[in-house]
Amino acid sequence: MVKQLETQTHREIVYADSDGQPMADNTVQFRWIMVLYHNLAWLFAENPEVFVAGDLLWYPVQGNNKLRQAPDVMVAFGVPKGDRGSYQQWKENNIAPQVVFEILSPGNTLKEMSKKRLFYDNYGVEEYYLYDPEKNDLTGWLRSKSLLDVIDEMNGWVSPRLGIRFEVLPDTLQLYRPDGQLFADYLEVQQRLNEVQEELDNVQEQLGNVQEQLDEERQAKKVAESELQQERQAKEVAEERAKRLEQLLREAGIDPEIK
């Protein structure tokens, strides 16, 4: 009876897909969220068991729809890709997101961020990264045993889970893929795609010109071969006529060799 009541209670609970809060407070925060999300999604695009999401509500405990957070970006290993209205951990083999990113905005309070870190600490996050783009300040925490411990030096730090490297420059943060490629934003990627497309168009145009020249050469070769064949046939006809004439002369008693 108790189990039946608990099941009914769980069915009645609504796990909202939105907390009513905006994804970002300003363009800088939004851009950083997009850079992180897209680059991490590209990084693990070929792995069907890595789930990357941005601003998705995470519910760690079944039956409690008040206990939740929406990390700016989160990565969960061992979880299949796919669309979700929210990340309900008990439906994901009880796997907590291992890596979480937060991009600080002027609207974030110290109390709010402290609560978030405590939440991530309590519910199994292995790596937590907090970046303040206004101050260009990066802080990271790594789980040690049961607690998230602050990482002493973030400049040059390599994420154990993601394999990406953080480089804190005097005026900005740069992140590098495991292959050494720099994280790029959408505009940079689009520009590269446009450049590649332009190069491809040029190559195709050159190939078209080469193909046209080859076709012309093949056609000229065919014409030359046809003319050569005609010359051979004319020569054969002339030789045949000469032989016939010699035969007729001999039949008439005339020696064709006497001039």
Side-chain angles (χ1 to χ4, degrees), residues 17-73:
D17 293 348
S18 173
D19 57 4
Q21 299 297 318
M23 181 177 182
D25 292 340
N26 55 57
T27 57
V28 174
Q29 185 187 25
F30 177 79
R31 184 167 64 251
W32 270 105
I33 292 172
M34 290 295 98
V35 166
L36 286 167
Y37 169 75
H38 286 297
N39 281 273
L40 292 173
W42 292 334
L43 180 60
F44 297 104
E46 302 302 321
N47 190 332
E49 294 298 316
V50 178
F51 175 67
V52 182
D55 195 42
L56 185 70
L57 280 173
W58 164 26
Y59 295 93
V61 179
Q62 186 176 13
N64 188 343
N65 62 0
K66 303 298 182 183
L67 187 63
R68 63 189 188 183
Q69 282 293 342
D72 286 336
V73 178

Side-chain angles (χ1 to χ4, degrees), residues 189-246:
V189 172
Q190 188 60 50
Q191 183 177 358
R192 291 179 188 175
L193 289 176
N194 291 340
E195 292 172 353
V196 170
Q197 185 61 51
E198 185 176 350
E199 292 177 0
L200 180 60
D201 292 342
N202 291 335
V203 170
Q204 290 178 337
E205 182 179 355
Q206 293 173 6
L207 288 175
N209 293 335
V210 171
Q211 186 63 47
E212 185 177 348
Q213 292 175 0
L214 288 174
D215 292 341
E216 292 176 355
E217 291 176 0
R218 289 193 186 102
Q219 185 62 31
K221 183 179 179 180
K222 287 181 180 178
V223 171
E225 289 176 347
S226 178
E227 292 175 349
L228 181 60
Q229 181 66 21
Q230 290 175 3
E231 291 177 0
R232 288 173 181 169
Q233 291 176 351
K235 183 178 179 181
E236 290 174 356
V237 170
E239 290 175 349
E240 185 64 28
R241 286 179 179 176
K243 290 179 181 179
R244 179 61 178 165
L245 180 58
E246 288 179 4

Side-chain angles (χ1 to χ4, degrees), residues 6-257:
E6 287 179 351
T7 302
Q8 291 176 350
T9 302
H10 291 161
R11 288 177 181 174
E12 293 171 357
I13 294 175
V14 176
Y15 300 93
D17 293 348
S18 173
D19 57 4
Q21 299 297 318
M23 181 177 182
D25 292 340
N26 55 57
T27 57
V28 174
Q29 185 187 25
F30 177 79
R31 184 167 64 251
W32 270 105
I33 292 172
M34 290 295 98
V35 166
L36 286 167
Y37 169 75
H38 286 297
N39 281 273
L40 292 173
W42 292 334
L43 180 60
F44 297 104
E46 302 302 321
N47 190 332
E49 294 298 316
V50 178
F51 175 67
V52 182
D55 195 42
L56 185 70
L57 280 173
W58 164 26
Y59 295 93
V61 179
Q62 186 176 13
N64 188 343
N65 62 0
K66 303 298 182 183
L67 187 63
R68 63 189 188 183
Q69 282 293 342
D72 286 336
V73 178
M74 68 180 190
V75 184
F77 291 82
V79 176
K81 288 178 168 51
D83 294 328
R84 295 160 172 77
S86 61
Y87 190 89
Q88 299 174 33
Q89 188 170 316
W90 56 95
K91 294 182 179 180
E92 311 290 351
N93 292 323
N94 204 34
I95 296 175
Q98 291 93 345
V99 186
V100 165
F101 292 85
E102 292 286 355
I103 305 299
L104 203 62
S105 71
N108 294 129
T109 64
L110 180 61
K111 180 180 179 181
E112 174 189 2
M113 300 314 296
S114 296
K115 288 178 64 176
K116 284 189 175 184
R117 186 167 67 84
L118 183 60
F119 181 95
Y120 300 145
D121 199 344
N122 288 339
Y123 294 103
V125 169
E126 296 177 10
E127 301 176 40
Y128 171 36
Y129 300 104
L130 173 64
Y131 180 58
D132 182 349
E134 183 177 359
K135 297 180 180 179
N136 189 33
D137 182 63
L138 175 67
T139 307
W141 292 265
L142 179 68
R143 185 164 295 276
S144 175
K145 296 182 179 179
S146 60
L147 297 175
L148 283 173
D149 287 337
V150 68
I151 300 169
D152 293 331
E153 180 56 60
M154 282 303 304
N155 192 22
W157 172 260
V158 177
S159 162
R161 273 286 188 176
L162 306 177
I164 66 174
R165 178 169 59 87
F166 299 83
E167 186 173 329
V168 184
L169 301 180
D171 57 350
T172 190
L173 170 66
Q174 289 185 340
L175 297 97
Y176 293 85
R177 294 162 52 102
D179 60 5
Q181 292 187 37
L182 182 66
F183 273 29
D185 63 26
Y186 175 80
L187 293 179
E188 291 172 339
V189 172
Q190 188 60 50
Q191 183 177 358
R192 291 179 188 175
L193 289 176
N194 291 340
E195 292 172 353
V196 170
Q197 185 61 51
E198 185 176 350
E199 292 177 0
L200 180 60
D201 292 342
N202 291 335
V203 170
Q204 290 178 337
E205 182 179 355
Q206 293 173 6
L207 288 175
N209 293 335
V210 171
Q211 186 63 47
E212 185 177 348
Q213 292 175 0
L214 288 174
D215 292 341
E216 292 176 355
E217 291 176 0
R218 289 193 186 102
Q219 185 62 31
K221 183 179 179 180
K222 287 181 180 178
V223 171
E225 289 176 347
S226 178
E227 292 175 349
L228 181 60
Q229 181 66 21
Q230 290 175 3
E231 291 177 0
R232 288 173 181 169
Q233 291 176 351
K235 183 178 179 181
E236 290 174 356
V237 170
E239 290 175 349
E240 185 64 28
R241 286 179 179 176
K243 290 179 181 179
R244 179 61 178 165
L245 180 58
E246 288 179 4
Q247 183 180 356
L248 292 174
L249 289 173
R250 285 191 176 94
E251 290 176 353
I254 302 171
D255 187 354
E257 300 295 334

